[in-house]
Amino acid sequence: MAAQLRYATIREIFTRFHASEPEPKGELEHVNAFTLLVAVALSAQATDVGVNKATRRLFQIADTPEKMLALGEEGLIEHIKTIGLYRNKAKNVIKLCAKLIEEYGGQVPSSRAALQALPGVGRKTANVVLNMWFHYPAQAVDTHIFRVGNRTGIAPGRDVIAVERAIEDNIPVEFQQHAHHWLILHGRYVCKARKPACGACIINDLCPFEDKTA
């Protein structure tokens, strides 16, 4: 775990991220808050590519809690059986739909506590929805962000909550909205786990990682 970078260095890093991609987007396909919530819940221990492939047809016929509930658990399974842990995820999505209808009139709530109270929704999923749909600067820490945060010293921490807090505490406020997308994309395509592409990295000269590749 690298030491926490200085404020000026972090500002320069995110200035470069912004210049390279001013409006980074999440890669999960969705058409509204509900389908985003379902897509993120399905993406646990799965790839965005795999989730998108499964949900394109699903969201054409079930883009509301009512339609998804009518589809039923077995009907949902037929659409998502290529995704890991699909049976448990289908069960949670159907329960989630029932709770959204019963307690929130079929609308996705905009508080972290309310989102986390939904079946199958953890803090990371809640933060993604808060950030991407409600435009709240919540930081959803996945394996990519955890790795990049610790490897670079942008947001070091021994667990995901510590990294989340380090992002909130140390990244300038004007970069908070898109911070987790920049870090996810950087970790997914450049600062990869086994063989980081340091030669193609736009923050190579600012990064203290000791085992840089040529």
Side-chain angles (χ1 to χ4, degrees), residues 27 48 142 144 147 183-190 192:
E27 297 183 326
D48 289 0
D142 69 351
H144 297 300
R147 178 177 67 256
L183 292 171
I184 286 173
L185 294 172
H186 191 65
R188 184 174 291 166
Y189 298 113
V190 181
K192 293 175 281 192

Side-chain angles (χ1 to χ4, degrees), residues 20-21 26 45 52 57 61 63 81-83 108 112 130-131 143 166 169 184 201 208:
S20 176
E21 183 63 64
Q45 299 180 53
N52 289 338
R57 173 62 180 155
I61 62 175
D63 60 354
K81 59 187 177 182
T82 57
I83 299 174
V108 175
R112 184 183 287 117
L130 290 173
N131 183 285
T143 56
D169 290 346
I184 286 173
C201 178

